[in-house]
Amino acid sequence: MAADGEKEDAFPDKETFNEQSSSRSRSQDDVQSHTEANIMPEMETQLEHPDEEKGQLAKSSTVISAMDPRSFPDGGLKAWLVVFGGFCCLFCSFGWINCIGVFQDYYQTTLLRQYSPSTVSWIVSLETFMMFLGGPIMGKLYDNYGPRYLLLVGSFLHVFGLMMTSVSTEYYQFILAQGICSPIGASAVFYPALSAVATWFFHRRALAFGIMASGSSLGGVIFPILVQNLIPKIGFPWTMRVSAFLILGLLIIANLTVKSRLPPSPKPFSFVAFVKPLGEPTFALLTLGAFFIFFGIFIPFTFIQLSGQALGMSPQLSNYLLAVLNAASIFGRTIPGYLGDRFGRFNVIVVLNFFSAIIILALWLPARGSAPILVFAALYGFGSGAFVSMVPACLAQISNIKEIGVRNGTIFAIVSFAALCGNPIAGALLGNGTSFTKVIIFAGVVYMVGAAIFLLTRATLVKWKIATKV
């Protein structure tokens, strides 16, 4: 009997063994919970409530949840086709937004020269605002129905808005067509791409997001050159139509390739679902930091050509400043993604946020010639490009992947107000003058504040441990 008792002590029953294993695994999970996404709710439930029958237990132990990191392909033809489709989506949406400086310059000097720079900037600011503001609606529709119908409707509205811009002559017409209709379509294209790619990648997520986001950089290179070279040859109306047809072709590819790995999970619309994530300190600080950065991040995109001309740069050379900025951001959206997966996504984004803020104040502000502003355009393109590609990856890291659509919508809807106000404030600071000092200081300060808040966001995960990957 004593021997039997010893055996019972030495070999605990299955439930005791499971409890001991769970307690050991929880201590390990606590260490990793700050650096990996919370994506395994079903798996945790299975561990806490094991099946009583042996056959059922054996069967359940071999089933891998769709939310388990092991079930993410992290590569393969289907996954990379989704990334390619997302690349096309961002080329057409964010890439088009990245060339707003071309239209600020063109409208201000030709079609709408009777209006102040601040008034003209409302057109391009509305583009950014409307694209991001649609986040909650697009995110909820994505979670409920998947990406297919969003992409179809978004493709139509984006192309239709640009076609209507080609026949616009009055300020209100540009507001309605280019400032509202087109970016609503771009929003319905942008968010499904972000959310769909997140379902296919886990360990290589930042790299996948970086490759996808480089589409916006390439669009930002091609569209300014295309628009500026075609307007003198075929006129503004046909230039807009050519751009719209290019976007249409790429969005056809996107509609055929962008798919979610997970089936839709319809739920009733609830405003609380969008507000609830703000109760998490990490999410709230991430959103606040992004809000401040979006106040300043588009100011160089909008005013760098005008500031170059004010410094004596020829119009021909200044026309390529946006192309240089966006070309550099191709590397800024891919290389930091790879480094983020290797050394920590929050680590990389914090460093590059401070880098971008510093060069605005230390390089663009004192620039007094063509060479410094060209160097600034390249360096800022790299730094700001990293921010655009890394924010969705950082957000996915601290989120349940099943709620990624709603959480993407929440953060981008909030930052849309900063994107709306940033350029008009900069335009008001510029006035009718040619000194960009106040504009540059404003952009640099709000970017620096945002960078500091991102540092605090990192601290909520691992406190002030410098060498920790997060």
Side-chain angles (χ1 to χ4, degrees):
M1 295 295 292
D4 292 339
E6 290 174 1
K7 286 182 180 180
E8 290 178 1
D9 293 337
F11 300 99
D13 60 24
K14 189 183 302 176
E15 292 183 2
T16 305
F17 178 77
N18 285 339
E19 290 176 0
Q20 292 173 350
S21 299
S22 297
S23 64
R24 287 194 298 268
S25 64
R26 282 193 203 98
S27 63
Q28 295 174 351
D29 290 343
D30 289 341
V31 176
Q32 296 180 349
S33 62
H34 296 309
T35 57
E36 300 293 349
N38 177 23
I39 62 166
M40 299 180 286
E42 293 94 350
M43 187 176 178
E44 290 171 0
T45 304
Q46 289 177 2
L47 290 174
E48 290 173 3
H49 302 285
D51 298 314
E52 294 180 1
E53 296 183 11
K54 294 181 180 180
Q56 293 177 340
L57 180 64
K59 182 178 179 180
S60 66
S61 65
T62 61
V63 175
I64 298 177
S65 168
M67 314 306 293
D68 189 330
R70 291 172 294 175
S71 70
F72 285 72
D74 266 317
L77 180 61
K78 288 184 178 180
W80 289 116
L81 278 176
V82 174
V83 173
F84 177 64
F87 176 95
C88 294
C89 287
L90 267 75
F91 183 101
C92 299
S93 56
F94 219 134
W96 181 255
I97 298 298
N98 280 347
C99 75
I100 54 180
V102 172
F103 295 100
Q104 176 75 25
D105 185 16
Y106 181 74
Y107 293 156
Q108 192 173 318
T109 55
T110 55
L111 297 178
L112 302 173
R113 56 182 175 273
Q114 67 270 33
Y115 296 94
S116 69
S118 180
T119 302
V120 172
S121 68
W122 280 106
I123 299 173
V124 295
S125 291
L126 267 175
E127 286 191 72
T128 310
F129 173 71
M130 295 304 296
M131 192 180 86
F132 290 142
L133 182 66
I137 298 173
M138 305 306 172
K140 188 61 180 176
L141 290 173
Y142 173 88
D143 288 342
N144 282 3
Y145 304 106
R148 182 181 177 185
Y149 299 110
L150 275 174
L151 286 171
L152 285 172
V153 174
S155 299
F156 170 78
L157 289 176
H158 192 15
V159 173
F160 179 75
L162 296 181
M163 289 294 186
M164 292 298 99
T165 303
S166 72
V167 297
S168 298
T169 56
E170 301 293 334
Y171 179 76
Y172 79 90
Q173 294 172 339
F174 287 103
I175 288 287
L176 292 174
Q178 188 175 359
I180 297 177
C181 179
S182 170
I184 289 176
S187 179
V189 167
F190 175 70
Y191 287 104
L194 289 183
S195 300
V197 168
T199 66
W200 291 88
F201 292 86
F202 184 79
H203 297 291
R204 304 168 75 184
R205 182 176 289 156
L207 175 62
F209 272 116
I211 294 172
M212 176 181 64
S214 67
S216 63
S217 300
L218 186 60
V221 173
I222 292 176
F223 281 125
I225 296 175
L226 179 73
V227 170
Q228 289 169 333
N229 282 279
L230 287 184
I231 287 178
K233 296 177 181 178
I234 62 176
F236 176 78
W238 269 106
T239 297
M240 296 301 292
R241 291 167 198 151
V242 169
S243 300
F245 281 123
L246 173 60
I247 287 172
L248 176 62
L250 290 171
L251 289 180
I252 290 174
I253 296 174
N255 275 270
L256 295 174
T257 55
V258 173
K259 297 179 176 68
S260 175
R261 184 179 64 89
L262 305 176
S265 53
K267 295 178 182 177
F269 181 86
S270 172
F271 180 74
V272 176
F274 295 98
V275 178
K276 183 180 178 181
L278 295 172
E280 304 169 16
T282 303
F283 183 90
L285 284 172
L286 180 69
T287 303
L288 183 62
F291 181 86
F292 275 97
I293 288 179
F294 267 90
F295 248 119
I297 193 170
F298 290 110
I299 290 175
F301 286 86
T302 306
F303 293 98
I304 192 169
Q305 288 189 197
L306 293 172
S307 70
Q309 293 172 18
L311 292 173
M313 184 178 288
S314 68
Q316 291 78 15
L317 182 58
S318 67
N319 285 344
Y320 286 92
L321 283 172
L322 263 181
V324 170
L325 193 157
N326 284 303
S329 72
I330 294 175
F331 301 99
R333 296 182 187 188
T334 51
I335 296 174
Y338 170 78
L339 296 176
D341 288 332
R342 187 175 180 85
F343 301 108
R345 295 151 194 164
F346 279 91
N347 294 340
V348 172
I349 197 172
V350 165
V351 170
L352 289 175
N353 282 346
F354 278 110
F355 170 79
S356 298
I358 289 169
I359 62 172
I360 290 174
L361 298 172
L363 189 55
W364 192 18
L365 181 60
R368 293 295 180 269
S370 299
I373 202 166
L374 280 167
V375 172
F376 166 76
L379 294 178
Y380 182 76
F382 183 87
S384 62
F387 173 78
V388 171
S389 67
M390 294 293 290
V391 165
C394 291
L395 176 62
Q397 180 171 318
I398 62 171
S399 302
N400 183 331
I401 203 67
K402 293 181 72 175
E403 301 173 354
I404 194 66
V406 169
R407 293 167 77 93
N408 266 327
T410 298
I411 188 171
F412 281 110
I414 291 173
V415 304
S416 68
F417 290 93
L420 173 67
C421 299
N423 285 330
I425 289 173
L429 291 172
L430 175 62
N432 293 319
T434 57
S435 174
F436 286 80
T437 300
K438 294 179 181 178
V439 174
I440 297 171
I441 291 175
F442 171 72
V445 169
V446 292
Y447 212 124
M448 186 67 74
V449 172
I453 295 174
F454 263 85
L455 182 60
L456 291 176
T457 306
R458 181 188 183 277
T460 64
L461 298 173
V462 292
K463 301 189 184 299
W464 299 104
K465 300 174 182 176
I466 297 176
T468 303
K469 176 182 175 181
V470 61

